[in-house]
């Protein structure tokens, strides 16, 4: 294309939406992907560009959806020409300014909160803070990548896709800091008897000779113990012991009741996505950790239940298995934009 399409904030007569945080709805996102395919991938006529502009200005959700696809395309779409390169640069600029706005808001929050517990916990548990600190982690795994580490004391650690971890071993302790994602830890016994800790944004765990997984979500962490015991102490000071065969979720201020351990929390280390009667949208959220680009699901089929074993490191095969067994269709509007919808 000889001309690039303007970023949403540059549209004549349209508001600058860079500070809006409300996500676009599913159907607006799908329409945005179709417009992108028509205008960026194929040669578009003046009439098509005009129709796109009218669609874009029709609803705020359309502009939010277009911003989202620009941001995704800047990371995953092949750039074939000056027009697309300029459009991608604009999308990156919008995304960067949005992150800058969020950082300003977080700074304001901490200043207003002073030394209060609520303000401190808000920053410690912020997903933005987790993303920023993960960039400088000692060990990281990319989307779709599973890593295995052997630490200096012989402890083995598995990193799930999209995870980040710091290691801090001293004469007094062995400490892992989980910055993002999920790990499985198989602790080694050592003669020194140094305590073994895992820190998250929500609190500290101490391994008591054990094998366990820890996953960090935006608003809580999940500890699943397969052997031995693990002690939890969250940021508010609440303490609990989690026994083998059970798991607990905990936030900065609360610890949930124990529940039977979910085998899926260990299956991923073998490259398996284990679904035991879970919603389709929940399953696809897990699969999205192994698939680059956008993986969306139509709300019409989001509640379908999924049961089975799926290859985590081969997302396209997993999607094909779902399409074979469920009343759904997997549609690829673009190589990096996949939608699951009703058949």
């Amino acid at each position: 294309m000889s001309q690039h399409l303007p970023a949403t904030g540059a549209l004549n007569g349209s508001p600058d939406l860079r500070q809006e945080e409300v996500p676009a709805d599913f159907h607006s996102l799908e329409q945005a992907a179709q417009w992108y395919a028509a205008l960026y991938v194929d040669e578009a006529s003046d009439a098509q560009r005009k129709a796109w502009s009218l669609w874009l200005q029709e609803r705020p959700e359309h502009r939010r959806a277009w911003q989202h696809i620009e941001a995704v395309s800047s990371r995953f779409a092949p750039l074939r020409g000056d027009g697309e390169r300029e459009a991608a640069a604009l999308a990156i600029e919008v995304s960067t300014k949005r992150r800058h706005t969020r950082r300003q808001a977080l700074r304001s929050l901490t200043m207003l909160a002073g030394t209060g517990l609520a303000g401190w916990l808000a920053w410690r548990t912020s997903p933005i803070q987790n993303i920023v600190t993960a960039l400088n982690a000692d060990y990281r795994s990319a989307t779709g990548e599973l890593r295995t580490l052997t630490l200096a004391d012989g402890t083995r650690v598995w990193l799930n896709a999209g995870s980040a971890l710091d290691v801090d071993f001293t004469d007094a302790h062995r400490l892992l800091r989980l910055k993002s994602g999920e790990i499985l830890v198989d602790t080694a016994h050592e003669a020194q008897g140094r305590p073994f800790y895992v820190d998250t944004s929500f609190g500290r765990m101490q391994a008591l000779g054990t094998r366990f997984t820890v996953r960090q979500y935006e608003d809580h962490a999940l500890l699943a113990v397969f052997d031995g015991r693990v002690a939890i102490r969250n940021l508010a000071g609440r303490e609990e012991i989690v026994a083998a065969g059970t798991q607990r979720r905990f936030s900065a201020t609360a610890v949930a009741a124990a529940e039977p351990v979910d085998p899926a929390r260990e299956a991923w280390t073998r490259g398996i996505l284990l679904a035991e009667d879970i919603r389709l949208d929940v399953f696809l959220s897990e699969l999205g950790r192994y698939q680059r680009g956008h993986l969306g699901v139509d709300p019409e089929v989001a509640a379908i239940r999924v049961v089975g074993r799926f290859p985590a490191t081969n997302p396209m095969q997993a999607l094909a298995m779902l399409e074979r067994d469920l009343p759904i269709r997997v549609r690829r509007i673009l190589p990096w934009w996949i939608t699951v919808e009703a058949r």
Side-chain angles (χ1 to χ4, degrees):
M1 289 177 62
S2 59
Q3 298 179 349
H4 71 268
L5 299 175
T8 50
L11 284 172
N12 183 28
S14 67
D16 188 338
L17 298 177
R18 287 174 296 190
Q19 295 186 28
E20 293 196 19
E21 301 299 333
V22 180
D25 62 90
F26 171 80
H27 294 294
S28 295
L29 287 170
E30 291 305 289
Q31 291 170 8
Q34 291 167 357
W35 276 117
Y36 187 94
L39 298 175
Y40 277 79
V41 179
D42 303 324
E43 288 295 328
S45 65
D46 290 339
Q48 284 177 309
R49 289 192 194 88
K50 183 177 181 180
W52 166 80
S53 182
L54 291 173
W55 170 84
L56 196 62
Q57 297 180 69
E58 185 179 23
R59 297 172 59 197
E61 291 85 351
H62 293 173
R63 295 190 289 274
R64 286 195 289 267
W66 187 257
Q67 285 185 330
H68 179 74
I69 196 170
E70 280 185 322
V72 175
S73 67
S74 71
R75 290 175 289 163
F76 300 105
L79 301 178
R80 301 188 309 246
D82 293 339
E84 283 193 289
R85 280 193 291 271
E86 293 175 22
L90 285 170
I92 292 171
E93 179 184 0
V94 167
S95 177
T96 301
K97 289 182 178 179
R98 179 179 296 163
R99 287 195 298 269
H100 180 67
T101 300
R102 288 174 179 170
R103 285 196 295 270
Q104 287 180 323
L106 284 169
R107 283 197 296 268
S108 298
L109 173 64
T110 54
M111 289 173 65
L112 290 171
T115 58
L117 178 63
W120 182 65
L121 297 185
W123 163 246
R124 283 293 305 273
T125 60
S126 164
I128 302 300
Q129 189 259 359
N130 293 339
I131 292 170
V132 171
T133 55
L135 295 176
N136 298 317
D138 294 338
Y139 301 97
R140 287 185 290 165
S141 57
T143 300
E145 179 188 16
L146 301 178
R147 292 190 65 183
T148 305
L149 309 173
T150 301
L151 304 182
D153 66 337
T155 292
R156 298 191 69 194
V157 180
W158 289 256
L159 278 73
N160 204 345
S163 300
L165 176 73
D166 278 347
V167 177
D168 179 18
F169 278 21
T170 70
D171 292 339
H173 66 242
R174 297 172 289 170
L175 172 64
L176 307 183
R177 295 187 182 94
L178 180 60
K179 301 298 187 68
S180 64
E182 183 173 21
I183 56 174
L184 183 145
V185 181
D186 191 350
T187 57
H189 297 283
E190 62 164 18
Q192 291 176 259
R194 293 174 297 174
F196 193 104
Y197 302 115
V198 176
D199 280 358
T200 71
S201 298
F202 310 98
R204 168 170 288 187
M205 287 148 285
Q206 181 177 357
L208 307 174
T210 188
R211 178 182 173 91
F212 62 100
T213 62
V214 182
R215 179 166 179 179
Q216 184 155 274
Y217 295 88
E218 288 188 0
D219 58 355
H220 72 279
L222 171 63
L223 166 67
V225 181
F226 296 92
D227 292 301
R229 298 179 302 151
V230 177
I232 296 174
R233 180 183 173 87
N234 69 3
L235 296 182
R238 179 171 173 183
E239 298 181 352
E240 297 287 349
I241 300 292
V242 183
T246 62
Q247 64 183 32
R248 285 198 176 199
R249 300 177 186 272
F250 65 96
S251 67
T253 57
V255 180
E259 56 189 22
V261 71
D262 181 358
R265 300 278 50 84
E266 187 180 34
W268 61 263
T269 63
R270 303 188 300 276
I272 297 171
L273 273 182
L274 189 61
E276 296 190 334
D277 193 28
I278 63 175
R279 287 171 56 106
L280 177 60
D281 55 355
V282 173
F283 177 81
L284 292 176
S285 178
E286 288 290 312
L287 186 62
R289 305 176 71 178
Y290 306 91
Q291 172 66 35
R292 292 186 178 274
H294 174 87
L295 180 57
V297 57
D298 191 329
E300 183 181 348
V301 297
I304 291 177
R305 311 302 292 189
V306 179
V307 177
R309 295 162 60 94
F310 300 85
T313 54
N314 191 339
M316 296 313 300
Q317 182 182 347
L319 289 170
M321 294 168 65
L322 290 173
E323 192 173 33
R324 179 194 65 198
D325 298 333
L326 300 176
I328 61 170
R329 179 175 65 140
V330 177
R331 190 158 60 100
R332 300 191 72 175
I333 301 175
L334 294 158
W336 40 269
W337 191 280
I338 301 174
T339 297
V340 177
E341 58 189 28
R343 186 180 300 167

